[in-house]
Amino acid sequence: MKTALVLGAGGFIGGAMCKRLKKEGYWVRGVDLKNHEFINMDEVVDEFIVGDLRDNDLVSRIIFAPNQHSLGDYKNSFDEVYQFAADMGGAEFVFTGMNDADIMHNSALVNLNIAKHALEKSVKRVFYSSSACMYPEYNQKDPANPLCSEESAYPAQPDSEYGWEKLFSERMFMAFAKNHKLDVRIGRYHNIFGPEGTWRGGREKAPAALCRKVAEASDGQSIEVWGPGLQTRSFLYIDECLEATTRLMRHKDFKGPVNIGSEEMVSINDLATMAIKASKKNLSIHNIQGDVFEIKYGFPCPIGVMGRNSDNTLIRRKLKWDYEMPLESGLQLTYDWIESQVKNYKGEN
């Protein structure tokens, strides 16, 4: 029986990865600062620990794996460690500037602890979840022609402190690989979405936020879209993300960094239109930005770069992987789940 440690297991991608690994027959330990919002982790992992990965002593304890012949004997090295834990969220959390210090301090401290103890405990392989937010802002000003190929990362100029921290942690893990032979794999995620992710509270990503707004609206109303709606992005469904991640993790030679995303680029207004179509409602879109936005919300409109799209040339060549699910299909599944959450939430209140 192989063993896996999933850090950030209480989050969207981490929780989904726990379920996949258990189905593959792994012994799985999940660790997070909080329980998962929508998954009973005791049912999908062998052990779930609520703990703060900024705590050096905690990381030292949880990074030991059990002996498969004596599950009470925690002296083995994990076969796979997946590092998803980060202080992060959607545009409101990342791009307003109000959380920059926490984003950088908390995530960097977690990654420093993990790299140190993964090396000391001879972990066999570590996956680090980086982000497309580390790509330079100057290559993402044209909504129709963003440049996000892996080699375009330098000279560095991310558009947020979240992106700078991701870039720092990439380089830190790569330095451990170079100097100490820690086997590290790095994937740069491009907007992963799907059911069982945060959909309210300020940390939700664009697909979840738009699906929530549509689910809460009645026929004839409009939904609010932040910014001009012309900014472009690509979005990858969670199941496809997990497949690409495990392929990278288990590849004999290729280590990344590599993009893990879709090349189906759409504008945010197009994404909103897809969410409306999924609902079968008669709704319109109201874009809010500039002074009107700032007066209403008390901070500048957080739209990020004007264009971003995954370039999958490298991952297709190295891992023989490509996305299969159209955005519209994934968004329909996500909308249906969020609509049920909205109805349940209203019923409880």
Side-chain angles (χ1 to χ4, degrees):
M1 180 185 293
K2 287 193 172 184
T3 58
L5 174 64
V6 180
L7 305 168
F12 169 49
I13 301 175
M17 180 60 79
C18 285
K19 292 202 291 186
R20 178 181 174 118
L21 292 169
K22 278 306 298 177
K23 288 179 181 178
E24 292 181 353
Y26 278 63
W27 187 95
V28 180
R29 174 186 295 146
V31 183
D32 205 309
L33 190 62
K34 60 177 180 61
N35 283 294
H36 200 288
E37 292 179 83
F38 310 109
I39 301 172
N40 183 344
M41 295 304 294
D42 291 334
E43 296 178 357
V44 299
V45 296
D46 297 278
E47 188 174 76
F48 184 73
I49 297 172
V50 176
D52 191 338
L53 294 167
R54 294 171 297 182
D55 182 343
N56 181 63
D57 291 337
L58 173 82
V59 176
S60 177
R61 293 194 302 272
I62 58 92
I63 214 158
F64 271 129
N67 185 324
Q68 62 179 323
H69 301 297
S70 175
L71 293 182
D73 179 16
Y74 291 84
K75 293 182 180 178
N76 282 14
S77 300
F78 274 102
D79 294 302
E80 298 176 358
V81 172
Y82 293 86
Q83 164 39 4
F84 302 115
D87 202 352
M88 55 88 71
E92 180 180 351
F93 185 78
V94 170
F95 296 120
T96 60
M98 296 185 293
N99 303 294
D100 285 351
D102 283 345
I103 286 171
M104 298 195 79
H105 172 271
N106 294 339
S107 296
L109 189 54
V110 167
N111 289 318
L112 288 164
N113 286 340
I114 291 165
K116 172 188 174 184
H117 290 292
L119 178 66
E120 290 180 355
K121 308 306 189 295
S122 301
V123 163
K124 294 182 176 64
R125 189 165 291 174
V126 178
F127 172 81
Y128 173 60
S129 60
S130 187
S131 167
C133 290
M134 51 70 61
Y135 283 114
E137 183 177 16
Y138 56 77
N139 284 335
Q140 301 175 85
K141 293 183 177 181
D142 181 355
N145 296 289
L147 175 59
C148 294
S149 56
E150 287 82 359
E151 71 275 6
S152 73
Y154 301 95
Q157 190 187 321
D159 70 331
S160 64
E161 303 306 333
Y162 175 77
W164 278 109
E165 188 281 322
K166 285 294 185 183
L167 184 58
F168 162 77
S169 291
E170 276 193 18
R171 295 191 67 88
M172 186 268 297
F173 275 112
M174 288 190 290
F176 269 72
K178 178 176 67 175
N179 295 153
H180 303 299
K181 309 305 180 187
L182 182 65
D183 192 351
V184 177
R185 308 299 165 95
I186 299 173
R188 294 171 178 167
Y189 286 159
H190 287 250
N191 299 308
I192 313 305
F193 77 102
E196 297 183 332
T198 298
W199 58 272
R200 62 184 178 90
R203 294 202 183 213
E204 64 274 20
K205 301 293 187 69
L210 292 172
C211 286
R212 185 199 72 243
K213 291 176 182 181
V214 170
E216 292 174 340
S218 301
D219 274 346
Q221 293 183 334
S222 64
I223 63 163
E224 188 177 271
V225 174
W226 291 4
L230 304 177
Q231 61 271 35
T232 55
R233 298 290 187 274
S234 62
F235 302 89
L236 183 69
Y237 192 69
I238 180 62
D239 291 354
E240 307 219 69
C241 168
L242 301 181
E243 174 62 27
T245 299
T246 52
R247 283 199 196 188
L248 174 61
M249 186 63 149
R250 295 162 191 171
H251 195 273
K252 180 181 178 182
D253 302 311
F254 183 56
K255 301 176 185 298
V258 66
N259 289 327
I260 295 178
S262 164
E263 293 176 319
E264 186 182 350
M265 187 173 71
V266 297
S267 72
I268 297 302
N269 277 350
D270 287 341
L271 185 68
T273 300
M274 285 186 186
I276 293 170
K277 181 179 178 182
S279 73
K280 300 180 175 58
K281 294 180 182 180
N282 179 25
L283 304 174
S284 59
I285 295 171
H286 171 59
N287 292 101
I288 178 171
Q289 54 187 319
D291 292 342
V292 174
F293 183 97
E294 192 159 359
I295 290 169
K296 180 174 181 179
Y297 289 100
F299 52 83
C301 186
I303 62 173
V305 295
M306 283 304 297
R308 178 173 290 149
N309 187 29
S310 185
D311 182 331
N312 287 0
T313 304
L314 182 62
I315 196 170
R316 277 195 293 264
R317 186 171 80 245
K318 293 291 188 177
L319 300 183
K320 311 303 181 193
W321 175 89
D322 209 346
Y323 63 97
E324 297 179 354
M325 180 177 287
L327 174 57
E328 193 167 10
S329 300
L331 200 65
Q332 182 71 64
L333 294 171
T334 305
Y335 176 80
D336 291 343
W337 181 81
I338 290 178
E339 183 184 44
S340 69
Q341 293 295 308
V342 169
K343 290 178 179 177
N344 290 339
Y345 182 74
K346 287 181 177 178
E348 293 171 359
N349 294 271

